[in-house]
Amino acid sequence: MTSKRGPYAKSDVRRRSLSAAALELVRQKGHRNVAIAEIAQLANTSEPTVYYHFPTKESLLIAALQQHDEENARARGHEAGAIAEMGSRAEAGVQRTNYARLYNELAGAAADPTHPANEFFRQRWARSVGVVATDIRRLQESGRVPADVDANDAAHLLLAAWEGLQLQWMQGPPFDIRALIEAHIRALLGPDALD
């Protein structure tokens, strides 16, 4: 990707600074307890500047989710190990309670195709399915997952289980999400998938 130049580069840096500040405050306080004034202060700017780049608080929170994904998602070509890490990543994810609440709330709202977060979640699902399906195919090539398993279908099912279990965990009472995800992986992909 080419770098932006001139005022566009500064604008891009400012947007990332604002979304990073929003993400940090969400992690600390929860998205419902964060004010635009606090985000502006943490990013060393003014409220009008925040609204210039993000017309609504919701658009800023969507950008914060995007930035979190950019920082934590597997890059293309590094899909190996996605299946093996699913349980531990799910376990860590529910411990980031405030972030998980924001994610769940926006994911639910994004089911409406006109919602501003819809495009983000559609792209996120497509990328996630691609990563998981690629790792399943790698496991099939090594003989650890049966060849007759449809990698794309299995990826959808594993990710749906992860999302559903995360939502159940957040609503309480807590349970061993890692154990359940790993049991689901073995049931769907075979007993050697996590060996």
Side-chain angles (χ1 to χ4, degrees), residues 9-193:
K10 290 179 184 175
S11 181
D12 201 38
V13 168
R14 174 63 70 195
R15 287 177 60 81
R16 288 190 64 76
S17 170
L18 291 168
S19 62
L23 186 58
E24 179 57 32
L25 289 169
V26 164
R27 287 175 179 149
Q28 291 174 18
K29 304 171 64 168
H31 66 286
R32 292 190 178 169
N33 299 317
V34 174
I36 293 295
E38 293 174 291
I39 295 168
Q41 182 179 13
L42 185 59
N44 295 315
T45 193
S46 66
E47 284 186 67
T49 299
V50 175
Y51 284 114
Y52 172 79
H53 292 285
F54 298 99
T56 64
K57 181 179 175 182
E58 187 173 56
S59 64
L60 179 52
L61 294 174
I62 294 166
L65 285 181
Q66 289 171 321
Q67 186 159 341
H68 178 271
D69 268 15
E70 288 170 13
E71 294 169 0
N72 293 285
R74 288 177 177 274
R76 280 194 197 277
H78 296 278
E79 295 89 352
I83 299 297
E85 291 180 1
M86 275 184 129
S88 61
R89 287 176 65 108
E91 186 175 53
V94 294
Q95 299 305 320
R96 295 188 299 264
T97 308
N98 289 331
Y99 173 78
R101 285 185 183 132
L102 170 63
Y103 177 89
N104 287 332
E105 190 169 311
L106 284 177
D112 176 350
T114 65
H115 191 277
N118 178 270
E119 181 65 19
F120 163 72
F121 280 98
R122 284 192 315 111
Q123 289 178 5
R124 185 180 199 280
W125 271 105
R127 184 182 67 247
S128 297
V129 167
V131 166
V132 173
T134 298
D135 197 37
I136 291 170
R137 288 186 197 98
R138 179 187 66 84
L139 293 170
Q140 287 174 318
E141 289 169 6
S142 70
R144 291 170 50 199
V145 170
D148 63 346
V149 170
D150 183 289
N152 285 326
D153 289 351
H156 278 285
L157 291 169
L158 289 172
L159 290 165
W162 183 346
E163 294 265 329
L165 289 169
Q166 175 180 280
L167 188 58
Q168 288 177 20
W169 193 98
M170 296 299 297
Q171 292 170 348
F175 52 85
D176 189 344
I177 191 170
R178 179 178 186 160
L180 285 179
I181 286 186
E182 291 179 351
H184 188 65
I185 290 168
R186 288 187 179 98
L188 192 61
L189 302 180
D192 300 327

